[in-house]
Amino acid sequence: MPGIVVADAGPLHYLVLIGHIEVLPRLFGAVSVPTTVADELRHPNAPDAVRAWAAAPPPWLAVHPDSAEPTEDLRRLDPGERAAIALAHTLGAGLLLIDDRAGVAVARQQGFRVTGTLGVLADAAAEGLLDLAAAFAALRATNFRHAPALLDALLAADRARRGEPEGDR
């Protein structure tokens, strides 16, 4: 386990939408989010399922007050990414769950280990917690933005891990 895990809204949002939010406690034990991220998940524009989940978060989700004023390098990010990275600093997180490219770049520049929705799903599949092809099919039915080549590469790696011949799909 990576120690303390902090999440931005994106991975939580999409894992709820595709019905695989339960992989987070199984992979990481607990996940922490700043108040800003919890508020984003409860926003009126969020999908009903996401709002309902965030309105009664599970015990493994710890909501923390936002950290102090963000540093200059975080100001260009959206509020959720800013708050998640700041919380990761405050808590000494070992892993940050974030999908936003700019947020990922800043987090990596600051030395954080980072993964996103796709990485969480691939890790869950490697642990036998879900079928990756089915999870990706569900994700494709949402507005999740991804590079198709990345999904194809992750699916190919999953098939290889399971010893499935390349031609079987």
Side-chain angles (χ1 to χ4, degrees):
M1 285 220 199
I4 295 171
V5 176
V6 171
D8 181 34
L12 299 173
H13 174 109
Y14 288 105
L15 290 171
V16 167
L17 284 183
I18 66 171
H20 286 300
I21 193 69
E22 79 287 345
V23 302
L24 291 179
R26 294 182 72 189
L27 290 172
F28 308 123
V31 175
S32 294
V33 297
T35 300
T36 295
V37 166
D39 291 346
E40 287 179 357
L41 295 169
R42 291 186 296 254
H43 191 277
N45 291 339
D48 291 343
V50 173
R51 280 197 328 271
W53 180 84
W60 54 262
L61 185 74
V63 180
H64 297 267
D66 288 354
S67 299
E69 190 64 26
T71 57
E72 189 61 38
D73 52 343
L74 297 180
R75 289 186 198 281
R76 65 185 169 99
L77 301 177
D78 289 336
E81 286 89 30
R82 240 189 345 251
I85 293 170
L87 180 62
H89 278 291
T90 299
L91 299 179
L95 179 64
L96 187 57
L97 306 180
I98 189 169
D99 288 325
D100 178 78
R101 282 189 210 155
V104 167
V106 170
R108 285 189 174 142
Q109 287 169 352
Q110 295 185 7
F112 288 107
R113 192 170 137 232
V114 179
T115 195
T117 302
L118 299 178
V120 168
L121 292 172
D123 289 348
E127 294 292 323
L129 301 176
L130 57 79
D131 175 273
L132 192 60
F136 281 1
L139 195 58
R140 284 184 184 109
T142 71
N143 65 346
F144 184 80
R145 288 187 233 153
H146 61 280
L150 177 57
L151 263 63
D152 292 343
L154 289 169
L155 287 169
D158 183 61
R159 283 191 301 275
R161 178 189 55 75
R162 291 182 287 113
E164 187 177 309
E166 181 61 30
D168 293 353
R169 289 185 185 213

